Amino acid sequence: MRNKIYVALVHYPVYNRNDEIVATSVTNFDIHDISRACRTYDIANYYIITPVKSQIELTNRIIGYWQIGDGIGFNKDRNEAFENTLVIESIEKALYDIKEKTGQDARIVTTSARIFDNSISYEKMKEKIKTDDYPILLLFGTGFGLTNEVMDMSYHILEPIRANTKYNHLSVRSAVSIILDRLLGEE
Amino acid sequence: MRNKIYVALVHYPVYNRNDEIVATSVTNFDIHDISRACRTYDIANYYIITPVKSQIELTNRIIGYWQIGDGIGFNKDRNEAFENTLVIESIEKALYDIKEKTGQDARIVTTSARIFDNSISYEKMKEKIKTDDYPILLLFGTGFGLTNEVMDMSYHILEPIRANTKYNHLSVRSAVSIILDRLLGEE
């Protein structure tokens, strides 16, 4: 089901530094860099998840600039990058969208710095992606990470990207890029 | 020589869309995301290369904010991310800096969408990093890429990140992250 891999960047619900549940702001680079990475690795859709109306409007305006606005003439590659990028209000709506498109329930896969009962190595997950048939929704958190409630929805939790390092604070843009490469990159 | 790997993001000399040699602007996200990726993969130094005085000052101000300014109290992880980040005027000065620090001449490694006589796979380069002793300077271009003259200085040229894909326009931030993971990530 390599053609049924979906990516979502979650701006709500996530924790802030005080463990409160908040909605973070969409940043321009999250839209651009992750859209380009998703297109490069043939992701079916990249969902930018935020329920905040002004953020939805702003994000659609940025995407629209490259899709139907002046951006097309300026940079065709960028227009193409956004072809599969969508703003959507919630994780539930993303799951519903995948169900509508594939007729199947997607399984949520997340990442964590900790090890859980359902943790899985990149190698095993890569194998499952080749052999299993269900759609997968790879969820990435912003701020200080996905809430416990969202983590509990995970079918699998990917192991930390770097287990043995003093410093391990990749940007979400770097994390998405590396994880897509590990799961979907060439052998 | 895993402890002698250096990364540089080149803002000059690079091509613009008309194949003219220009200096591009340093962007905030290039500083943050790549510093964090370099720290995570234990890179000895991350050089931001620009000869433009106003750009050098701006970049040092951003790095300084997190190193000695108000940023320390706000986000200690970010301060740590910048510990090995340096602004430097030219590729030659970066090579000189490495020579001073290691007593050895660094070999330049670049990437390209094309295949050259000295192209190398990620697997082979990963092996060389484990066995060989010389320092390596991984050069990444901004704008429309490193000039032919710089490419000619390459000891090895890494193969394209994605060989078989319709769309292949990763941001330089994504490319750096993926390449560091391929060369220095866990087995």
Side-chain angles (χ1 to χ4, degrees):
Chain A
M1 44 71 177
R2 282 177 69 98
N3 61 335
K4 288 184 269 181
I5 312 286
Y6 296 80
V7 165
L9 185 65
V10 180
H11 295 88
Y12 176 88
V14 291
Y15 292 118
N16 70 6
R17 63 174 61 244
N18 302 317
D19 265 346
E20 297 154 336
I21 295 174
V22 295
T24 59
S25 296
V26 178
T27 80
N28 201 16
F29 277 76
D30 289 342
I31 307 174
H32 282 261
D33 285 14
I34 298 178
S35 290
R36 291 163 73 184
C38 285
R39 282 292 282 167
T40 300
Y41 287 88
D42 295 321
I43 296 303
N45 277 122
Y46 164 37
Y47 300 105
I48 298 169
I49 297 181
T50 175
V52 181
K53 202 157 169 265
S54 60
Q55 292 282 311
I56 295 172
E57 284 169 5
L58 174 71
T59 310
N60 275 326
R61 203 154 62 232
I62 293 169
I63 297 174
Y65 172 81
W66 297 100
Q67 281 183 329
I68 53 168
D70 295 340
I72 295 181
F74 183 68
N75 191 339
K76 207 187 149 293
D77 299 336
R78 205 56 65 89
N79 165 30
E80 226 183 298
F82 289 153
E83 261 173 30
N84 301 331
T85 302
L86 287 177
V87 191
I88 206 157
E89 289 91 339
S90 65
I91 297 172
E92 289 68 27
K93 286 208 176 172
L95 290 169
Y96 185 79
D97 190 55
I98 298 172
K99 176 102 186 200
E100 277 214 311
K101 284 168 174 164
T102 64
Q104 290 171 290
D105 288 314
R107 296 187 181 178
I108 288 176
V109 173
T110 53
T111 54
S112 175
R114 287 175 298 144
I115 301 292
F116 296 79
D117 284 347
N118 57 341
S119 285
I120 189 169
S121 71
Y122 288 90
E123 205 179 346
K124 281 208 186 115
M125 194 67 222
K126 183 171 189 167
E127 211 42 52
K128 283 182 83 63
I129 287 175
K130 279 188 202 140
T131 55
D132 295 352
D133 180 53
Y134 49 83
I136 278 186
L137 176 58
L138 282 166
L139 283 189
F140 294 90
T142 58
F144 283 70
L146 297 167
T147 60
N148 294 335
E149 202 185 356
V150 173
M151 292 304 287
D152 287 343
M153 292 162 64
S154 308
Y155 181 72
H156 279 306
I157 298 175
L158 289 162
E159 287 176 354
I161 290 179
R162 289 282 279 168
N164 311 309
T165 182
K166 282 170 294 183
Y167 182 91
N168 194 354
H169 303 282
L170 289 169
S171 72
V172 69
R173 296 164 292 282
S174 291
V176 171
S177 305
I178 291 166
I179 288 173
L180 293 184
D181 189 59
R182 285 191 183 183
L183 297 180
L184 302 163
E186 278 110 15
E187 302 284 286
Chain B
M1 42 74 179
R2 283 176 68 100
N3 60 335
K4 288 185 268 182
I5 311 287
Y6 296 80
V7 165
L9 185 65
V10 180
H11 294 89
Y12 176 88
V14 292
Y15 293 118
N16 69 6
R17 62 174 62 244
N18 302 317
D19 265 346
E20 297 154 338
I21 295 174
V22 295
T24 59
S25 297
V26 177
T27 80
N28 201 18
F29 277 76
D30 289 342
I31 307 174
H32 282 261
D33 284 14
I34 298 177
S35 290
R36 291 163 73 183
C38 285
R39 282 292 284 167
T40 299
Y41 288 89
D42 296 321
I43 295 304
N45 277 124
Y46 164 38
Y47 300 106
I48 297 169
I49 297 181
T50 176
V52 182
K53 201 156 169 266
S54 59
Q55 293 281 311
I56 293 172
E57 284 169 5
L58 175 70
T59 309
N60 275 326
R61 202 153 63 229
I62 292 170
I63 297 174
Y65 171 81
W66 297 99
Q67 281 183 328
I68 52 170
D70 295 338
I72 295 181
F74 182 68
N75 191 338
K76 206 187 149 294
D77 298 335
R78 207 55 66 87
N79 165 31
E80 224 183 300
F82 289 153
E83 261 173 30
N84 301 330
T85 302
L86 287 177
V87 190
I88 206 157
E89 289 90 339
S90 65
I91 297 172
E92 290 68 27
K93 288 208 174 171
L95 290 169
Y96 185 79
D97 189 56
I98 298 172
K99 176 104 186 198
E100 275 214 313
K101 284 168 174 164
T102 64
Q104 291 172 291
D105 287 314
R107 296 186 180 177
I108 288 176
V109 173
T110 54
T111 54
S112 175
R114 286 176 300 141
I115 302 290
F116 294 80
D117 285 347
N118 57 342
S119 285
I120 189 169
S121 70
Y122 288 89
E123 205 179 348
K124 280 207 186 114
M125 194 66 223
K126 182 171 190 164
E127 210 42 52
K128 283 181 83 63
I129 286 175
K130 278 189 204 142
T131 53
D132 295 354
D133 181 53
Y134 48 83
I136 279 186
L137 176 57
L138 282 167
L139 283 188
F140 293 90
T142 58
F144 283 70
L146 298 167
T147 61
N148 294 334
E149 203 185 357
V150 172
M151 291 305 286
D152 288 343
M153 293 162 64
S154 308
Y155 181 73
H156 279 306
I157 298 176
L158 288 162
E159 289 177 354
I161 290 179
R162 289 282 279 168
N164 310 309
T165 181
K166 284 169 293 180
Y167 182 91
N168 195 353
H169 303 283
L170 290 169
S171 72
V172 70
R173 297 165 290 283
S174 291
V176 171
S177 305
I178 291 166
I179 287 172
L180 292 184
D181 188 60
R182 286 191 183 183
L183 297 180
L184 303 164
E186 279 111 11
E187 303 282 286

